[in-house]
Amino acid sequence: MYVLRMDVRVTHPDGTVVTSGVDKPKMGEIIELPGTSGTDRVEVMVTMASGQTYKVVDQQVLYKSLG
């Protein structure tokens, strides 16, 4: 209700950056971006109705095999 936009940025170990975002995200909404077999930095920013932008996630994510 108060979040106008959610943006995700993934920075790979080689410096390449992949981004995506969604306007007016709903609770539980998922954004999937490709990762690497190394450790990627994941940042999630939300823009509120007030116009303020907040970084809500900033963490290193280690590759995990699905198998």
Side-chain angles (χ1 to χ4, degrees):
M1 175 169 165
Y2 298 108
V3 176
L4 293 180
R5 182 161 177 84
M6 179 172 58
D7 290 290
V8 180
R9 176 173 47 209
V10 176
T11 305
H12 299 158
D14 67 0
T16 59
V17 177
V18 181
T19 62
S20 186
V22 62
D23 290 322
K24 297 183 182 175
K26 295 180 177 69
M27 194 70 139
E29 188 142 10
I30 296 172
I31 297 176
E32 291 186 29
L33 295 172
T36 66
S37 60
T39 300
D40 301 315
R41 180 180 182 189
V42 177
E43 299 168 272
V44 179
M45 286 74 63
V46 293
T47 302
M48 309 302 287
S50 66
Q52 292 286 99
T53 299
Y54 298 96
K55 186 181 290 188
V56 295
V57 174
D58 187 349
Q59 65 183 23
Q60 301 290 323
V61 178
L62 182 62
Y63 172 78
K64 292 182 187 174
S65 173
L66 297 176

